[in-house]
Amino acid sequence: MKISKNELRARLSRFNFRLVIALAVSTILFLGTFLVVWELGHEILISGIYGAISLVAALAYTLINKGFLGRLPTAEELPTTWDKKQREDFLGDLSARRKKSKKLLLILLPMLVTFAYKLLELYFFPLLTAFFS
């Protein structure tokens, strides 16, 4: 299955490079801060702070996004008791909320990566080194 150059350009033009770079930078910042504070001997404090921030970010993301919708509903899928203006307002508000909630992912995803890395470092990497030594 070979992709043509035009199709590749179209796919790359839709790809959000700015978001990926922002996620990478925020992950590096969050992970670096976590590891530095951890090495300073404040393991419980930094874990609690990061856990609380992760919980608040996850709840805020869910509330702002009105749940975990995979896609925006169409006007036909909304209640028939709503008039046209109500449907348009709801869809516009939902679209705006989705854009706002993307910014919360710049906090939530790096936090999850940080916890995953630390769990791997604490539990999996020692098993791996013991297995291969």
Side-chain angles (χ1 to χ4, degrees):
M1 182 174 134
K2 189 173 180 181
I3 299 174
S4 68
K5 285 185 178 182
N6 290 336
E7 186 179 346
L8 181 61
R9 283 189 186 124
R11 286 184 182 181
L12 286 176
S13 69
R14 288 189 307 257
F15 190 74
N16 194 346
F17 287 105
R18 292 179 69 195
L19 182 62
V20 171
I21 291 170
L23 274 171
V25 168
S26 63
T27 300
I28 290 168
L29 289 175
F30 280 113
L31 182 61
T33 303
F34 186 88
L35 293 177
V36 166
V37 174
W38 183 281
E39 290 299 319
L40 291 174
H42 302 291
E43 299 94 357
I44 299 203
L45 176 69
I46 194 66
S47 297
I49 290 171
Y50 268 48
I53 292 171
S54 298
L55 178 66
V56 168
L59 288 174
Y61 179 81
T62 305
L63 292 174
I64 289 174
N65 214 22
K66 290 193 176 186
F68 294 106
L69 294 176
R71 61 176 178 76
L72 291 175
T74 62
E76 293 79 34
E77 294 173 341
L78 296 175
T80 55
T81 57
W82 290 3
D83 63 351
K84 186 176 180 180
K85 182 174 177 3
Q86 235 178 338
R87 290 178 188 195
E88 289 172 0
D89 290 346
F90 179 80
L91 290 174
D93 180 53
L94 201 56
S95 179
R97 285 173 173 259
R98 183 164 280 185
K99 287 178 184 174
K100 288 179 189 175
S101 67
K102 250 188 196 179
K103 293 177 183 160
L104 282 171
L105 289 179
L106 293 175
I107 297 170
L108 187 58
L109 290 178
M111 291 286 190
L112 295 175
V113 168
T114 300
F115 282 127
Y117 172 78
K118 200 58 187 175
L119 285 173
L120 287 173
E121 183 185 16
L122 288 174
Y123 298 110
F124 185 69
F125 295 160
L127 289 174
L128 216 55
T129 55
F131 180 73
F132 287 111
S133 61

